[in-house]
Amino acid sequence: MTSVAVIGAGITGVTTAYKLMKQGLDVTVFDRNPYAAMETSFANGGQLSASNAEVWNSPSTFIKGVKWMLKKDAPLLVHPAPTWHKLSWMAEFVLAARNYEENTIATVKMAIAARRHLLEMAEAEGFGFDVEKRGILHVYESKSEFEHASRVSRLYKQGGLDRRTLGDSEIHEIEPALAGKFYGGFFTESDFTGDIHRYTRGLADACRRKGVTFVYEADVTKLRHGPEGVTVSSVVAGGPEATDQRYDAVVICAGVESRRFASMLGDRVNIYPVKGYSITVNLEDHESQQGAPWVSLLDDKAKIVTSRLGRNRLRIAGTAEFAGYNRDIKMDRIRPLVEWCRHRFPRVSTASSVPWAGLRPMMPDMLPRVGRGHAKGVYYNTGHGHLGWTLSAITADTIAAELAGDMSGGHHVAPSLPMVDEVRDEAAKQVARQAA
């Protein structure tokens, strides 16, 4: 039986392991934590949101980034201290703006394709994850924000996503708990929410029951490819020195660490860590439970999202911080989330709020890296940015089918995924034509 190592036990790694197992492969997952979903997949915004598929490579984002650079509580914060990695990533990020429309359309197509896989896995394996199929509501305070969103909606429609245009009264009909007056909004009924940590842990348990091996507290120190496959060197907590294990193939799903592992294997995967923050508000009294929203929200001005996680929890997440691999939770970034909750949902007590921060693995063009490396047996499913949970089910299905096809001497790619590498190839051709 073909053996495959998966590096990383976050949502992407576990979903990839599940899809590889369904292809009949012998799968081993390595992670440095004692459990699955302990880093970026621990406490994200909770949205499964095709309606948030717009890539960030636009002039308006560049302007806001410069304007907010010295504001500690800004929704988008770029620390001015330069590093070569940050500068090279930013340069590619700016260049990718020429493919803003194509990349947004490709992303929304992937998000729509992923929904069925994600729900089918949970149903087949019988685990819950506080899913709420109530749609996602985007709200806009100003005419300019709303008009930009209207242009984005036209791109979404090209990708197959419809969302309903709303006025202020309709916004409050959909979510009566929301305070404030809005110029307008959009409602995407087909989007939904849930607890990513519960989902990933539930799927990991299913993988383990069906024969997938998990090696936790394993520090992967080296990856080497050769004619006989890929060797994984790792040190397991409490064990002896590094041990080597050989596999026929490896899939890198290691989040922000994927860049380092790719370098070991001779590939360039230019992921940059973009920190996001969240708070989980414990709804401990009846007033808070009644005053918290059930419909998921995205407040465009604040760049904040919400998800209701059952009767007793409200997840509020947002902001993007370019500060390298720093994982510190900064109160300057948490405070706006708490204040926003008090402003928009005044009946909710924030007395019990749990802060969190995680590093989103972002490629400069905002598209995930899904496909083969340059060496035989090396594959990538990483770089999903702020849409890791939204996209992971379809990218995992694609990479598993591709790897299984390669190992059996055939070639198959799941037809429902717009080929990300093809989008990138076309972007490179456009750059070359313009340079000529």
Side-chain angles (χ1 to χ4, degrees):
M1 183 185 293
T2 298
S3 60
V4 184
V6 174
I7 311 300
I11 182 61
T12 305
V14 171
T15 309
T16 299
Y18 182 87
K19 291 291 188 176
L20 289 166
M21 175 270 296
K22 297 294 281 186
Q23 290 281 354
L25 306 177
D26 180 19
V27 184
T28 301
V29 181
F30 291 84
D31 196 276
R32 64 188 178 189
N33 294 290
Y35 313 101
M38 294 305 292
E39 294 196 20
T40 307
S41 300
F42 188 77
N44 76 348
Q47 292 187 333
L48 285 306
S49 52
S51 60
N52 197 20
E54 181 191 11
V55 298
W56 298 359
N57 315 82
S58 68
S60 62
T61 302
F62 307 152
I63 293 168
K64 288 174 182 176
V66 173
K67 178 175 127 181
W68 289 334
M69 190 171 287
L70 300 177
K71 189 178 178 184
K72 290 182 179 180
D73 61 352
L76 173 63
L77 180 62
V78 181
H79 288 262
T83 66
W84 174 248
H85 182 199
K86 184 192 292 184
L87 292 173
S88 68
W89 190 94
M90 288 289 184
E92 292 182 39
F93 179 78
V94 171
L95 287 173
R98 69 189 71 205
N99 300 107
Y100 159 82
E101 292 189 0
E102 296 92 332
N103 291 352
T104 295
I105 293 169
T107 303
V108 78
K109 286 181 178 179
M110 284 189 283
I112 292 170
R115 289 172 176 160
R116 174 177 61 84
H117 291 270
L118 186 144
L119 292 171
E120 283 178 354
M121 286 185 286
E123 183 177 354
E125 302 305 334
F127 62 86
F129 58 102
D130 289 321
V131 64
E132 292 294 339
K133 298 178 183 178
R134 299 174 188 251
I136 294 180
L137 176 62
H138 288 215
V139 295
Y140 306 89
E141 288 188 346
S142 72
K143 181 180 179 182
S144 61
E145 291 168 355
F146 180 78
E147 288 177 343
H148 173 78
S150 298
R151 293 190 291 272
V152 174
S153 282
R154 290 193 285 273
L155 294 179
Y156 287 170
K157 192 171 183 63
Q158 291 182 52
L161 182 72
D162 287 315
R163 53 183 190 166
R164 181 153 52 101
T165 306
L166 306 173
D168 182 70
S169 62
E170 294 168 301
I171 289 171
H172 292 288
E173 286 174 12
I174 289 174
E175 183 44 75
L178 177 64
K181 185 172 178 60
F182 301 95
Y183 182 87
F186 291 93
F187 183 57
T188 311
E189 190 173 356
S190 54
D191 279 344
F192 55 102
T193 60
D195 186 332
I196 187 174
H197 185 72
R198 285 194 64 195
Y199 186 96
T200 309
R201 293 289 295 274
L203 192 61
D205 288 344
C207 286
R208 189 165 46 250
R209 289 195 303 269
K210 297 193 171 187
V212 174
T213 300
F214 285 82
V215 184
Y216 288 122
E217 296 185 275
D219 181 15
V220 175
T221 57
K222 194 170 185 180
L223 300 173
R224 300 186 303 277
H225 60 78
E228 300 301 318
V230 179
T231 300
V232 178
S233 299
S234 64
V235 179
V236 177
E241 295 184 357
T243 58
D244 293 345
Q245 293 172 276
R246 190 195 66 78
Y247 299 89
D248 296 313
V250 65
V251 187
I252 306 301
C253 306
V256 298
E257 298 297 328
S258 297
R259 176 174 175 263
R260 176 170 63 89
F261 290 128
S263 179
M264 295 177 185
L265 296 165
D267 292 312
R268 182 176 184 269
V269 178
N270 193 18
I271 283 173
Y272 191 85
V274 180
K275 192 191 297 187
Y277 290 82
S278 77
I279 57 172
T280 302
V281 181
N282 294 311
L283 307 173
E284 297 180 325
D285 57 85
H286 180 75
E287 181 74 5
S288 294
Q289 291 164 8
Q290 293 297 309
W294 281 100
V295 174
S296 180
L297 300 164
L298 189 151
D299 185 331
D300 186 75
K301 182 177 181 180
K303 306 300 181 190
I304 286 174
V305 305
T306 70
S307 295
R308 185 71 175 263
L309 304 178
R311 180 169 171 267
N312 299 321
R313 293 184 299 154
L314 175 65
R315 178 70 47 76
I316 300 173
T319 80
E321 183 178 350
F322 289 76
Y325 291 85
N326 182 292
R327 289 177 168 81
D328 294 345
I329 298 175
K330 300 177 181 177
M331 293 315 296
D332 284 336
R333 313 294 286 157
I334 293 295
R335 190 178 302 111
L337 302 179
V338 176
E339 292 175 350
W340 181 89
C341 181
R342 291 173 178 166
H343 172 58
R344 293 297 185 198
F345 302 101
R347 295 173 62 194
V348 172
S349 169
T350 56
S352 177
S353 301
V354 182
W356 174 84
L359 301 181
R360 308 179 185 103
M362 286 196 173
M363 295 288 289
D365 59 4
M366 304 291 293
L367 297 174
R369 175 71 162 85
V370 186
R372 303 176 186 88
H374 88 279
K376 182 180 179 181
V378 176
Y379 298 82
Y380 296 93
N381 185 20
T382 189
H384 296 66
H386 69 299
L387 294 175
W389 195 15
T390 296
L391 302 180
S392 60
I394 190 61
T395 61
D397 191 64
T398 299
I399 202 66
E402 184 173 55
L403 189 156
D406 289 348
M407 293 294 133
S408 66
H411 182 73
H412 171 67
V413 176
S416 53
L417 174 65
M419 291 307 297
V420 171
D421 287 340
E422 290 179 8
V423 175
R424 287 201 175 100
D425 288 344
E426 180 57 31
K429 289 176 185 176
Q430 289 184 28
V431 171
R433 286 196 295 268
Q434 292 175 14

